[in-house]
């Protein structure tokens, strides 16, 4: 048993000294798996023209406020400033937060904001689009299927972001480059 313990220690001790593996891999996986998802989603919310980000599309309001849109007959002029502000901030977040995470700038704060974004997105999917009873959307933990949208996929997304909140961006990042250097002894 001692030999097995020594083998384990010799194989895995180098991982204890490398603080760059988890944050770097988490940012890479975020870029590879989720960035395009959020950017494409953000693109669907843009209105026409150069300032389309400040004039969200009808679809943007329908995605974020489906019940409110139905109540006003899909006439966005009947919605309030609050609705416009939420849709606009959400759209901007879908572009900016993934970019900040990928380049490693304000990574902990951006990852925390992205977690909040995903929670709000999930609650909108469940409440706004009436998906509470849809087992494929909500899903459940500790069951055999692993393909539900909320409990399975988004919990893994959030875990990936929690790694960045806890560990930071790692050495290959703007966060590290902008960090004040300790004076030489």
């Amino acid at each position: 048993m001692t030999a097995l313990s020594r083998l384990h220690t010799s194989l895995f001790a180098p991982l204890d000294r490398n603080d760059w593996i988890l944050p770097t891999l988490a940012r890479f996986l975020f870029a590879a798996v989720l960035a395009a998802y959020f950017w494409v989603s953000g693109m669907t919310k843009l209105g026409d023209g150069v300032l389309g980000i400040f004039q969200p599309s009808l679809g943007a309001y329908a995605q974020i406020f489906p019940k409110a849109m139905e109540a006003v007959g899909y006439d966005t002029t009947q919605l309030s400033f609050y609705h416009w502000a939420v849709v606009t901030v959400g759209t901007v977040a879908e572009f900016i937060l993934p970019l900040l995470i990928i380049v490693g700038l304000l990574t902990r704060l951006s990852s925390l904001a992205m977690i909040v974004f995903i929670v709000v997105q999930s609650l909108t999917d469940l409440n706004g689009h009436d998906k509470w009873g849809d087992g494929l959307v909500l899903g459940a933990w500790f069951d055999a299927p692993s393909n539900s949208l909320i409990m399975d996929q988004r919990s893994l997304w959030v875990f990936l972001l929690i790694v960045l909140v806890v560990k930071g961006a790692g050495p290959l990042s703007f966060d590290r480059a902008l960090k004040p250097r300790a004076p030489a002894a």
Side-chain angles (χ1 to χ4, degrees):
M1 191 58 142
T2 304
L4 184 59
S5 177
R6 271 186 280 166
L7 175 63
H8 180 273
T9 300
S10 67
L11 287 173
F12 295 106
L15 292 177
D16 290 337
R17 294 186 297 271
N18 292 314
D19 67 341
W20 64 271
I21 293 172
L22 279 178
T24 304
L25 186 57
R27 285 182 35 239
F28 171 79
L29 287 174
F30 181 87
V33 176
L34 295 174
Y37 167 84
F38 286 108
W39 288 333
V40 168
S41 177
M43 293 295 289
T44 67
K45 295 174 179 72
L46 298 177
D48 295 328
V50 177
L51 298 176
I53 199 155
F54 300 110
Q55 300 168 352
S57 69
L58 177 69
Y61 289 99
Q63 287 177 47
I64 297 173
F65 294 108
K67 290 180 179 177
M69 284 296 288
E70 188 175 340
V72 298
Y74 296 92
D75 178 7
T76 58
T77 62
Q78 294 184 47
L79 295 176
S80 69
F81 174 78
Y82 166 79
H83 293 97
W84 172 86
V86 168
V87 170
T88 301
V89 168
T91 302
V92 169
E94 284 189 294
F95 291 111
I96 299 297
L97 293 176
L99 180 64
L100 290 173
I101 290 168
I102 291 168
V103 301
L105 181 60
L106 304 172
T107 306
R108 286 185 160 123
L109 186 60
S110 300
S111 297
L112 194 57
M114 199 79 230
I115 290 169
V116 171
F117 185 96
I118 290 168
V119 168
V120 170
Q121 174 189 26
S122 299
L123 291 172
T124 299
D125 288 344
L126 293 170
N127 290 326
H129 299 284
D130 293 322
K131 297 293 185 179
W132 280 107
D134 188 339
L136 286 176
V137 173
L138 178 59
W141 287 337
F142 308 106
D143 63 351
S146 62
N147 62 340
S148 72
L149 183 62
I150 307 294
M151 297 298 285
D152 295 329
Q153 286 182 11
R154 294 194 184 152
S155 60
L156 288 172
W157 297 2
V158 168
F159 175 77
L160 186 68
L161 292 162
I162 288 172
V163 168
L164 294 173
V165 170
V166 172
K167 293 287 197 178
L172 303 172
S173 66
F174 281 103
D175 285 348
R176 184 69 57 98
L178 298 173
K179 188 176 184 179
R181 305 239 185 262

